[in-house]
Amino acid sequence: MPLISKGIALIALPLILLITALSLLYVREKNANTIDDSLNRELDTQQIFMMVETTSLEASIAVRDYLLTGDKKLLVIYSEAIQKIPKLMTDLTTNIQDNEQKKILAEIKILQLKNAQLLKALSEQPLDKSSEAITKLFQDQSDTLDSLFVKINLIKQLEIKLISADRAKVKEQREFSNQLALVAALLGS
């Protein structure tokens, strides 16, 4: 009987170690995948911010060019650009999970709304009119757009830090997983 117990122990111990190593490997890979998902979301967020910048600039340029040339086609470009902004802002709200970034995003939303209102006011100005009021609107809109871009750049810098941290975490998780896989392979042989 003692021989049977020893035989079972000799077989069971490596098997338990193998199962433990494989379980740890599974957990680490799952964690790495979660971090990977976070990393992808952060990269998407960077891209959305670039689209917000581009779209805001397109709308601004279209309105300014309309006032200079009177070409109503430019108002279509402005209108299309402005219509894209709410979806982009919704996407950002969904993607951003960091509290500091959420605060900055709230400021960005306010600046974006102000910019849209100023552009609307500018687009409704009579073409034959050159006044201090229009100059003041241009200056306010330009200042608002500058402030918007400063906030976007700030939040993009925070995103870059998060992306770097997540890349390091993924690399660490993958390296540890590789080590566990090696241990599991050795135990399994």
Side-chain angles (χ1 to χ4, degrees):
M1 256 340 196
L3 225 39
I4 293 175
S5 299
K6 287 180 184 178
I8 290 174
L10 283 173
I11 292 172
L13 184 59
L15 190 56
I16 289 171
L17 291 174
L18 175 63
I19 291 171
T20 303
L22 290 174
S23 297
L24 286 173
L25 180 63
Y26 172 77
V27 169
R28 284 296 198 155
E29 274 302 309
K30 192 170 181 178
N31 287 342
N33 287 337
T34 301
I35 296 168
D36 240 356
D37 291 344
S38 177
L39 180 61
N40 287 333
R41 186 178 57 251
E42 290 159 0
L43 292 170
D44 286 345
T45 300
Q46 283 279 346
Q47 186 176 6
I48 294 168
F49 273 119
M50 284 188 249
M51 289 190 302
V52 167
E53 285 177 310
T54 303
T55 305
S56 299
L57 203 53
E58 280 177 12
S60 180
I61 291 170
V63 168
R64 289 174 190 211
D65 287 353
Y66 164 71
L67 288 172
L68 290 171
T69 65
D71 185 356
K72 292 205 181 260
K73 292 178 196 170
L74 293 165
L75 289 179
V76 173
I77 294 170
Y78 151 75
S79 180
E80 289 172 354
I82 286 296
Q83 289 175 6
K84 293 176 187 175
I85 300 280
K87 177 166 181 354
L88 293 171
M89 298 312 269
T90 300
D91 291 346
L92 287 170
T93 302
T94 303
N95 279 12
I96 290 179
Q97 307 207 343
D98 179 71
N99 287 332
E100 186 177 356
Q101 288 181 308
K102 285 180 181 181
K103 289 176 188 173
I104 298 170
L105 182 60
E107 295 174 35
I108 288 171
K109 287 179 180 180
I110 291 168
L111 288 168
Q112 190 65 52
L113 182 61
K114 183 179 178 185
N115 187 55
Q117 291 168 342
L118 289 167
L119 286 173
K120 184 173 180 355
L122 281 167
S123 71
E124 294 171 348
Q125 294 298 311
L127 292 176
D128 58 351
K129 192 174 183 183
S130 176
S131 71
E132 287 184 33
I134 292 176
T135 304
K136 172 92 173 87
L137 278 173
F138 268 128
Q139 187 59 50
D140 288 349
Q141 191 274 326
S142 179
D143 292 345
T144 301
L145 192 63
D146 288 344
S147 296
L148 177 65
F149 287 170
V150 165
K151 292 294 181 181
I152 287 174
N153 285 329
L154 177 63
I155 205 167
K156 282 169 49 177
Q157 291 303 314
L158 291 171
E159 277 295 319
I160 288 169
K161 289 178 184 175
L162 289 172
I163 288 168
S164 295
D166 281 350
R167 282 185 174 153
K169 287 178 191 174
V170 166
K171 182 179 178 184
E172 178 185 311
Q173 292 284 335
R174 298 282 190 229
E175 286 173 359
F176 189 75
S177 293
N178 289 341
Q179 292 169 355
L180 279 175
L182 182 61
V183 168
L186 291 173
L187 290 173
S189 58

